[in-house]
Amino acid sequence: MKISKAEFAKGVIGDDYGMKDNLPHIAFFGRSNAGKSSVINSLVGKKDLVKTSKMPGKTREANFFRINDSFYLVDFPGYGYAKRSILERNKIIKRIFWYVEFSKARPKAVFLIIDANVGLTALDRDMIKILEANKHQIVIVANKIDKLAKGAAEKQLSLIQKEAPDIPVLRYSAKTNEGKDELTQKIKFLSRPF
Ligand SMILES: Nc1nc2c(ncn2[C@@H]2O[C@H](COP(=O)(O)OP(=O)(O)OP(=O)(O)O)[C@@H](O)[C@H]2O)c(=O)[nH]1
Ligand SMILES: [Mg+2]
């Protein structure tokens, strides 16, 4: 599959995650600054389909992007951004948890974007637990792999895989596009209609 068309469809602040056309959707979760928006941009080959920022906390809505007229990628706000007020952080986490547990519009899969350099954080582990409890399909994307030397990258990847033995872990760099073909294939497979 080649991603030939990518367009912004809607931004969700409340709890209306359904789309009229009923196309499947795939959710991108992760810590603020892990690179969710950058990964989506690199996948679709556009620099600025999704706004990214050196200042974490850029994405406040869940943004739906229609891909090839056949499915949606959804960029969720990042969790755990320390400079946000506790109230706002809680609000984001609560919305994500609600979506994972109760939303009628269930994602076909959740891609958990992490910074390969940082590895899984406490919040990521909580997220994995609640995703597993609700039987969601999960893929971990170890982004920013370009920041690590080869040996260090391998070490980090096997550490992450050891912590999450049942979840596929993909190496990725939104900067160099490393892993783009693998991630695209995974998305294609998981977003199939049935
Ligand atoms: N070196 C490197 N930098 C990256 C990569 N991916 C993202 N970044 C940088 O990391 C920062 C955060 O990226 P975003 O895509 O905005 O992160 P986000 O997860 O969407 O953040 P929120 O919207 O706050 O949740 C930006 O400065 C990006 O340029 C990568 O693969 N390699
Ligand atoms: Mg973002």
Side-chain angles (χ1 to χ4, degrees):
M1 176 187 71
K2 252 197 118 70
I3 292 181
S4 53
K5 195 172 169 192
E7 53 198 337
F8 173 75
K10 87 167 176 182
V12 178
I13 298 207
D15 54 13
D16 178 17
Y17 293 101
M19 299 299 283
K20 283 197 188 89
D21 53 21
N22 276 325
L23 290 176
H25 70 277
I26 286 200
F28 280 66
F29 287 172
R31 256 184 59 243
S32 201
N33 206 43
K36 296 171 294 300
S37 304
S38 302
V39 169
I40 293 180
N41 281 336
S42 93
L43 274 173
V44 304
K46 287 188 182 179
K47 265 213 164 78
D48 52 1
L49 178 71
V50 194
K51 289 207 174 55
T52 62
S53 173
K54 285 209 163 51
M55 296 285 297
K58 187 87 194 161
T59 313
R60 282 165 191 278
E61 310 181 325
N63 288 314
F64 280 68
F65 298 94
R66 196 183 303 110
I67 307 296
N68 290 358
D69 293 318
S70 53
F71 63 91
Y72 292 98
L73 295 182
V74 191
D75 186 22
F76 274 79
Y79 44 78
Y81 177 38
K83 280 190 183 163
R84 272 193 180 131
S85 69
I86 289 187
L87 209 71
E88 201 174 344
R89 265 184 280 164
N90 285 346
K91 231 161 118 181
I92 287 174
I93 281 284
K94 264 193 181 153
R95 275 178 54 209
I96 296 179
F97 279 10
W98 180 90
Y99 164 84
V100 167
E101 290 198 85
F102 303 116
S103 173
K104 263 187 254 152
R106 266 176 78 87
K108 285 275 184 185
V110 173
F111 283 73
L112 184 67
I113 314 299
I114 67 172
D115 182 332
N117 220 346
V118 176
L120 289 166
T121 64
L123 272 171
D124 293 322
R125 292 188 195 102
D126 286 349
M127 194 54 77
I128 289 173
K129 269 188 215 139
I130 186 169
L131 286 167
E132 284 181 330
N134 288 277
K135 306 215 167 359
H136 286 283
Q137 182 87 44
I138 315 167
V139 177
I140 295 174
V141 178
N143 187 38
K144 307 196 186 183
I145 203 79
D146 59 278
K147 283 187 156 181
L148 291 166
K150 207 167 181 298
E154 298 313 325
K155 221 170 153 182
Q156 265 299 68
L157 286 164
S158 64
L159 212 80
I160 295 162
Q161 188 69 81
K162 226 180 181 167
E163 270 201 79
D166 304 322
I167 304 174
V169 179
L170 300 182
R171 56 193 299 148
Y172 203 83
S173 166
K175 191 174 176 186
T176 67
N177 285 338
E178 180 175 350
K180 182 169 163 176
D181 290 345
E182 292 81 355
L183 185 54
T184 306
Q185 286 317 312
K186 201 88 184 158
I187 288 173
K188 180 192 174 189
F189 178 70
L190 292 172
S191 67
R192 70 205 184 283
F194 298 105

